[in-house]
Amino acid sequence: MSQVSYLSAASDLSSVGTPTLWAVTIIGVLLLLVLDFLVTRRPHEVSMREAIGWSAFYIALPLAFGGWIWSRFGSQQGVEYLTGYLVEKSLSVDNLFVFMLLLAAFAVPAVLAQRVLLYGIAGALVLRAVFIALGAAALQTLDFAFLLFAIILIATAVKLLRDAMSGHQQEVDINKMRSVKLLRKVMPVVDDYHGTKMTVRQGAKRALTPFALVVVAVLATDVVFAVDSVPAVYGITEDPYLVFATNAFALLGLRALYFVLHAALSRLVHLSYGLAIILAFIGLKLGLHWAHGIWDSVPQIPTLASLGVIIGVLVVVTVTSLRATRGGDLPEDRKVVAERH
């Protein structure tokens, strides 16, 4: 394929998402968010039974949707959706651990934890939608967009691997966070939580609560995760609708999954290594796809093979993590989270 014809093909992204399907999906996501806000309107400590019930619902729903995609549009789209969902769910687990660190660093009361998480999930959905739209625009207008995405993913993988090897892959210092420092300059901050209130009156002035600070900190981390998450799933499928659906379903279940996995997450000490391998692999896949558009002799990595690699990596790092922490020997940052919960 010549470079001219490749550019022409890239400018016409195919998608299963009709206007009606987009509208129904967005309305469905908004309704699920509203439902979550209604469930958490009265702050309470989440029981394991409640968390498992909601987690089961948010796992069954995307799997059922994947089955519908498979039956309605074919096995290719079905495999792309399921692979993309698995990638996004894996990256969202890393999201969860950072959320755990933030909740611990801000000493968030247990009864307020799920409302903080929900704000983070809502913010993440908005940011992902923006990045997905930008990614689709880039694929339609830039002939090197796939190469750019590949570079982003490989650079992120190198950083993850370097941080993991240095033992500082997940650290949170709230006093050094730019978002927190900026808010403290703009408004005074009270020391105590006042339920889910963002501000309280302090004398004649309004002051921020720690709840507002932790929500902003969580939203700030969402930006970082969106930068590598969206290119990663575009490495699996070029369909913007499937990219959005996988992101939305992976994020919606995080609130409940947090309370199910909070103990196990502290033991996944090799997760960063696995995510680094997955991101580097998808980056390689994107790079080969870009090169194949210019030189037909360059091979491509099939989506089904990608699914096998991703599952294999996740299984290996989970097993090695559990074996490495079998005696309760956790890194210092994960001990803080484990003790907190």
Side-chain angles (χ1 to χ4, degrees), residues 40-60:
T40 61
R41 71 186 185 280
R42 294 181 180 177
H44 64 280
E45 193 165 349
V46 180
S47 67
M48 183 57 67
R49 181 178 179 180
E50 178 184 352
I52 291 175
W54 280 108
S55 291
F57 170 74
Y58 276 118
I59 290 174

Side-chain angles (χ1 to χ4, degrees), residues 243-274:
V243 173
F244 175 78
T246 55
N247 271 270
F249 280 125
L251 288 169
L252 282 171
L254 285 189
R255 177 183 63 84
L257 191 63
Y258 172 89
F259 297 99
V260 174
L261 295 182
H262 68 262
L265 281 172
S266 61
R267 296 188 61 189
L268 296 179
V269 293
H270 296 160
L271 178 62
S272 290
Y273 293 99

Side-chain angles (χ1 to χ4, degrees), residues 194-221:
H194 293 263
T196 58
K197 291 182 179 179
M198 297 282 191
T199 64
V200 293
R201 184 166 295 281
Q202 191 178 49
K205 296 182 178 180
R206 303 291 297 182
L208 294 171
T209 65
F211 185 83
L213 294 186
V214 68
V215 167
V216 171
V218 167
L219 293 176
T221 62

